[in-house]
Amino acid sequence: MMCPARQEPEPPGTGDGSTADAAFAALLEDSAEELYETAPCGYLSTLMDGTVAKINATLVDWLGLDRDAVVGRMRFTDLLTVGGRLYHETHFQPLLRMQGRLSGIAMDLRHTDGSRIPVLVSSSLKYGTEGEPLLIRTTVFDARDRRAYEEELLRRRQEAEAARQRAEADRARLQEALAALQQSLLPSVLPTVPGLAAASYYHTASPDRLGGDFYDLFALDGKHWAFFLGDVSGKGPRAAALTSLTRYTLRAAALHDPDPVAALTTLNTVLHERYTGGDPRYCTAVFGTLEPGPEDGHVTVRLASGGHPPALVLRSGGGCEFLPTPGGLLVGILPDPHFTTAGTTLAPGDTLLLYTDGLTEARTGPDRALYGDKALRAFAAQHTGAPPEAVIDALTGLLDGFGDGLDDDTALLALGVPAADAPTAAPDPAPNS
């Protein structure tokens, strides 16, 4: 049968208002006793000594008991677990008598098969005309689903906490391994060079990754010493492998031919042959030699740079200038690059400072501007005449002040001639952070 346009069929019985009212009233004809017995929660009434005077079918069914075995024969505490009885006697009952009402107290009922039934108990006192307590009315709500949810939630939290602790332990072990590997790529202590003082510092931007900066100072023969400092491309294990290759190549090349240009050329040949293809690798580097003067205390420095920031020379008289190293290309990029030698002489009180670009490319100020060469020169000019260790200490404080603006690894190496009135001390182990 089609319904008229714009009309909806009416539910059965709704056409007659009196019929609908009668049907609805029939739904409400449950007796109070039936509602009590079959309620979705447990009800019981006890005397003041706890003897059960009345209990509904719902609660009896939960407990697996017969009503006749409970009413007048058992007390409320008999329905509880051992722990529940102790709590009832020491806390629940005293508070109920004092306050007259308690709500939502977590307890465990004991089933006849020995299992526990987690419940939430609410009780109130019924008083006589003289104000004396006569009965205790108690409502019991089944909390098994809630308890299961809470236990599952607790289990998940414990699993998450265990996973977090394992992750932290794994990270700590990784950081320890990375720190050991990073240390193996740097000299643990700088050697003592006659007539020269040396100091170094290495800042690791992240303990979770290997850095690519490197430096070294080593003897060539009884009169000459070599040094280098640089920065390889990339981070992580591949950068560490490149760093290791670079350090040992420069050392070997210097022993064969200590000329700075020859050393960088050999390194370029090794890197270009090794890393040609889909994963090109390169580095910036400064390589130099030191020749202490036999009598006047001066040290002759010859160096060459491959795409590296220029060294700074801090003069004892107050001057501070960059040492130009023109023509230096990145090491490993081209098959036949052009490197040029530069030189200077360090007098007593002078210091040669080498650094990686993590220092000059640090972000500073509210606008996160690059620190830059100009600021570095101005800062270094405040420490002219200071020994290398003091210069490195000042720069370490500067780096610490950058905070999260220092997001790259930074290596520092300072080589200086002690002032005429300052004794040459053996250098401390090269610090790492």
Side-chain angles (χ1 to χ4, degrees):
M1 178 177 178
M2 298 293 291
C3 295
R6 301 192 182 185
Q7 293 185 11
E8 298 292 338
E10 297 180 352
T14 58
D16 188 341
S18 59
T19 303
D21 292 341
F24 183 74
L27 296 175
L28 302 180
E29 287 181 356
D30 291 338
S31 66
E33 185 65 23
E34 183 180 2
L35 290 173
Y36 177 84
E37 289 293 338
T38 62
C41 59
Y43 288 112
L44 75 158
S45 299
T46 65
L47 303 179
M48 294 306 298
D49 65 357
T51 301
V52 177
K54 189 176 182 181
I55 186 170
N56 74 339
T58 299
L59 185 53
V60 169
D61 182 62
W62 287 356
L63 296 169
L65 297 171
D66 293 328
R67 190 192 303 268
D68 292 341
V70 177
V71 176
R73 297 177 180 274
M74 300 179 70
R75 297 188 178 186
F76 177 61
T77 53
D78 296 329
L79 309 179
L80 302 175
T81 60
V82 175
R85 294 174 191 173
L86 292 175
Y87 183 81
H88 184 275
E89 295 297 332
T90 58
H91 293 79
F92 189 91
Q93 188 176 38
L95 286 174
L96 178 61
R97 288 181 176 272
M98 181 173 61
Q99 300 177 7
R101 181 184 297 273
L102 288 177
S103 299
I105 306 301
M107 289 186 177
D108 285 335
L109 298 180
R110 181 172 53 86
H111 193 275
T112 54
D113 62 7
S115 62
R116 296 187 176 194
I117 305 173
V119 294
L120 295 176
V121 178
S122 298
S123 295
S124 61
L125 296 179
K126 178 182 179 181
Y127 297 95
T129 56
E130 301 297 327
E132 72 281 8
L134 299 178
L135 289 173
I136 302 174
R137 292 171 172 166
T138 299
T139 304
V140 180
F141 290 93
D142 189 347
R144 280 174 287 195
D145 290 342
R146 173 175 174 174
R147 179 71 59 84
Y149 169 77
E150 292 174 345
E151 290 175 349
E152 177 66 14
L153 183 62
L154 177 61
R155 184 181 67 81
R156 293 292 181 89
R157 287 179 177 175
Q158 291 172 340
E159 290 177 351
E161 177 63 19
R164 184 189 66 80
Q165 292 177 356
R166 287 194 299 270
E168 288 184 352
D170 291 343
R171 183 185 181 193
R173 287 192 292 269
L174 176 61
Q175 290 179 351
E176 183 179 358
L178 291 178
L181 181 55
Q182 187 78 69
Q183 184 63 43
S184 70
L185 300 175
L186 301 169
S188 59
V189 62
L190 295 178
T192 301
V193 180
L196 194 78
S200 62
Y201 178 77
Y202 191 92
H203 167 82
T204 302
S206 171
D208 296 322
R209 69 180 185 184
L210 289 169
D213 293 7
F214 58 89
Y215 61 87
D216 208 347
L217 174 65
F218 55 98
L220 294 173
D221 52 38
K223 296 182 179 180
H224 298 82
W225 296 76
F227 65 88
F228 58 77
L229 178 142
D231 181 8
V232 304
S233 60
K235 303 293 179 186
R238 293 184 179 181
L242 178 57
T243 298
S244 179
L245 176 62
T246 298
R247 290 186 70 246
Y248 291 115
T249 299
L250 286 175
R251 271 182 165 265
L255 294 176
H256 176 71
D257 185 350
D259 179 72
V261 170
L264 290 183
T265 300
T266 299
L267 176 62
N268 186 86
T269 300
V270 171
L271 296 186
H272 191 264
E273 291 180 353
R274 176 72 175 271
Y275 291 101
T276 53
D279 184 26
R281 294 277 169 169
Y282 56 88
C283 74
T284 67
V286 173
F287 183 93
T289 59
L290 305 166
E291 183 180 1
E295 298 178 358
D296 59 3
H298 289 61
V299 174
T300 300
V301 181
R302 296 178 67 247
L303 57 81
S305 172
H308 199 80
L312 263 174
V313 182
L314 287 68
R315 300 297 182 183
S316 61
C320 181
E321 298 294 337
F322 287 108
L323 181 61
T325 49
L329 299 176
L330 294 173
V331 184
I333 291 292
L334 300 178
D336 188 21
H338 177 69
F339 301 113
T340 303
T341 303
T344 188
T345 299
L346 300 179
D350 293 349
T351 295
L352 178 71
L353 173 65
L354 299 101
Y355 55 92
T356 55
D357 58 10
L359 170 58
T360 52
E361 293 182 0
R363 299 288 178 174
T364 63
D367 56 352
R368 309 288 288 178
L370 292 177
Y371 184 66
D373 296 337
K374 184 177 180 180
L376 174 60
R377 178 183 172 185
F379 181 85
Q382 302 174 26
H383 301 279
T384 55
E389 184 176 356
V391 174
I392 293 298
D393 285 344
L395 289 169
T396 301
L398 175 67
L399 293 175
D400 291 341
F402 290 152
D404 60 2
L406 184 62
D407 56 3
D408 195 6
D409 306 304
T410 303
L412 304 173
L413 178 63
L415 308 170
V417 179
D421 57 349
T424 302
D428 294 330
N432 291 276
S433 68

